[in-house]
Amino acid sequence: MRVLDSHLHLWDPELLHYAWLEGPLAWLFGTTEIENSRIVRATTEKAVFVQAETVEDDFLDEVRWVASLADRVGVVGIVAGARLDRDTDTTAHLEGLAAEPLVVGVRHNLQGEPDGLAVSAAFVTGAREVAARDWTFDACVRAEQLPEIARLAGAVPELRIVLDHLGKPEVGTADAPVAPSMEWVRDLDDLARHPQVFCKLSGLPGEAGGDWSAEQLEPFLDAAADAFGVERLMWGSDWPVSVIGPAEEGYEYAPEDGSPTYQPTARSRWADAVIAWAERRGHDLDAILWRNAEEFYRIGERPPHTDAREERPRRGVLGWLRGERS
C-alpha cells in the first residue's frame, strides 16, 4: 500500500524560530522522530511538507532546511510559508521561493487572521500570483471561515486550493463526541461547489485533543466525501500536531501527572482509521492515500531532489521523553 502524506510538518526550534510551540511540541521533530512514526501498513511512504508557522523572516530558511532533509524523510514537495497580503514584498518572496525546486505551493495560515483578509484586494492579488506560478494554496481556517475561502475560490477560480483539516470543525472527544454541525456541512458543501478546491482528511485527531475514536470521526469523513467526492480528498497526518494527547495504553514514558504527551502510534492509527473507513464505504483507497495528492500538487511532474548535506545532531522529542534532558 502506497501512502503520500499530504500534510507533514517538521521543525527544529534550535535552528528556526516559532512563536507558538509549547509543551511536548517544543522539541525537534526531524528525521529520527518521523522514522520512528512510520505508517505500519505502508509499503511506500512519501510526504508533502507543509510550513510549520515559523516567524515570517524564517519562511525561506525553513524551505531550505526541509529540502536538505528531503531524501531521508521522503519529502517530495514543499508547501512554503508566505504572506499573500504584502504587495511587492509578496512578489519578491514568491520569486525567492521559485528558486527552490521542491516548492509546489504556499500557505498563508489564515486561522488566526482577521475576518475578511482572504478576500481583501491585496490578498487576492497575491493569490493570483500564486496561481500564475502554477502553485497551490493550502487554506488553514476555522469552520466559521469556510465561506471566506469559498469567496476566494470564486475570486481566483484558476487557483488550486486545498482545505486543511476539513476546516477544523468541532468534533468533541472519544467519550463526548460532537456530531457535524449543520452550518459546517452547509459551508463545506458550498466550498466544494468550486471544482478547483480539494479537501484534506487531516487534523481531526488534533481537534479532539488527541482523544479520539474512529467511530467519532467517521461522520466528518462521510460529510467530506459527500461534498467533494472521493476524487478530491487526500489523506494527511498533520504530524506531529495531531499526535499529542493522552498517553497511549502501556506507554512507558507516560507523564505521571496525566498531562498531554507524544503518542508514538497515533500517525499510523489515523491512517488505519481512514483506510478502514474508505474500505467499508467502497472508496478508491489509492486515490485518497496517494493519487489525488500527487495530482493536486503535481508531484510527478517535478524532478527528484537530491541534497548531500548531513543533518547535524540535535535533541528531539524522543530523547526528551526518555529523560535525556540537559
Side-chain angles (χ1 to χ4, degrees):
M1 180 179 295
R2 59 180 188 167
V3 177
L4 175 54
D5 185 344
S6 70
H7 204 97
L8 181 79
H9 300 297
L10 302 162
W11 56 70
D12 185 344
E14 292 185 23
L15 184 66
L16 301 166
H17 302 89
Y18 312 81
W20 64 280
L21 294 181
E22 60 183 9
L25 289 177
W27 293 83
L28 167 67
F29 285 87
T31 56
T32 299
E33 289 70 34
I34 190 60
E35 193 59 39
N36 283 277
S37 192
R38 292 298 185 187
I39 297 162
V40 173
R41 296 179 63 180
T43 54
T44 300
E45 186 182 323
K46 301 294 183 182
V48 174
F49 168 82
V50 177
Q51 67 97 14
E53 203 62 8
T54 66
V55 299
E56 187 176 347
D57 287 347
D58 283 355
F59 282 168
L60 190 54
D61 287 337
E62 180 184 49
V63 169
R64 291 167 177 161
W65 174 65
V66 172
S68 75
L69 308 180
D71 292 339
R72 281 164 284 162
V73 175
V75 167
V76 291
I78 291 174
V79 176
R83 293 284 311 196
L84 299 188
D85 59 342
R86 296 282 198 257
D87 299 313
T88 56
D89 286 344
T90 293
T91 301
H93 180 59
L94 296 180
E95 288 174 352
L97 292 176
E100 301 298 325
L102 281 179
V103 172
V104 295
V106 300
R107 182 169 80 160
H108 178 144
N109 198 331
L110 290 167
Q111 63 182 332
E113 295 284 17
D115 292 344
L117 179 68
V119 290
S120 66
F123 195 98
V124 169
T125 297
R128 286 179 176 143
E129 290 200 40
V130 172
R133 288 169 168 80
D134 198 26
W135 288 343
T136 63
F137 178 70
D138 265 60
C140 185
V141 296
R142 305 181 307 275
E144 59 268 25
Q145 294 173 296
L146 288 173
E148 199 166 306
I149 301 305
R151 291 171 60 196
L152 175 65
V156 193
E158 68 274 22
L159 178 64
R160 285 174 288 136
I161 299 173
V162 61
L163 177 66
D164 293 349
H165 316 326
L166 293 86
K168 308 190 80 169
E170 182 182 359
V171 300
T173 64
D175 292 333
V178 174
S181 71
M182 291 186 295
E183 293 80 7
W184 174 75
V185 172
R186 177 200 64 208
D187 292 341
L188 199 71
D189 288 343
D190 288 345
L191 179 58
R193 291 191 177 95
H194 298 273
Q196 289 277 66
V197 181
F198 285 57
C199 181
K200 290 185 181 180
L201 305 181
S202 63
L204 296 186
E207 293 305 300
D211 180 9
W212 59 277
S213 71
E215 295 76 14
Q216 167 203 0
L217 300 181
E218 283 189 357
F220 297 88
L221 303 180
D222 286 334
D226 289 344
F228 288 91
V230 173
E231 67 278 3
R232 285 192 284 155
L233 300 179
M234 60 185 81
W235 179 80
S237 69
D238 190 33
W239 184 90
V241 177
S242 283
V243 298
I244 302 298
E248 295 172 317
E249 185 175 355
Y251 186 41
E252 62 180 317
Y253 302 115
E256 293 182 1
D257 62 0
S259 59
T261 189
Y262 181 66
Q263 300 173 330
T265 73
R267 182 170 181 256
S268 197
R269 285 192 291 116
W270 176 235
D272 287 343
V274 174
I275 290 167
W277 163 78
E279 289 177 335
R280 283 196 302 274
R281 300 294 191 267
H283 295 327
D284 186 338
L285 193 56
D286 186 66
I288 293 171
L289 294 181
W290 186 285
R291 201 167 62 246
N292 293 343
E294 181 182 51
E295 293 174 359
F296 176 81
Y297 287 115
R298 298 185 178 165
I299 300 298
E301 300 175 15
R302 298 172 184 274
H305 175 81
T306 59
D307 193 305
R309 286 180 287 175
E310 294 185 2
E311 181 186 17
R312 64 185 181 91
R314 289 191 171 81
R315 181 161 295 159
V317 70
L318 299 179
W320 171 71
L321 291 168
R322 298 181 185 117
E324 300 167 8
R325 302 171 176 86
S326 57

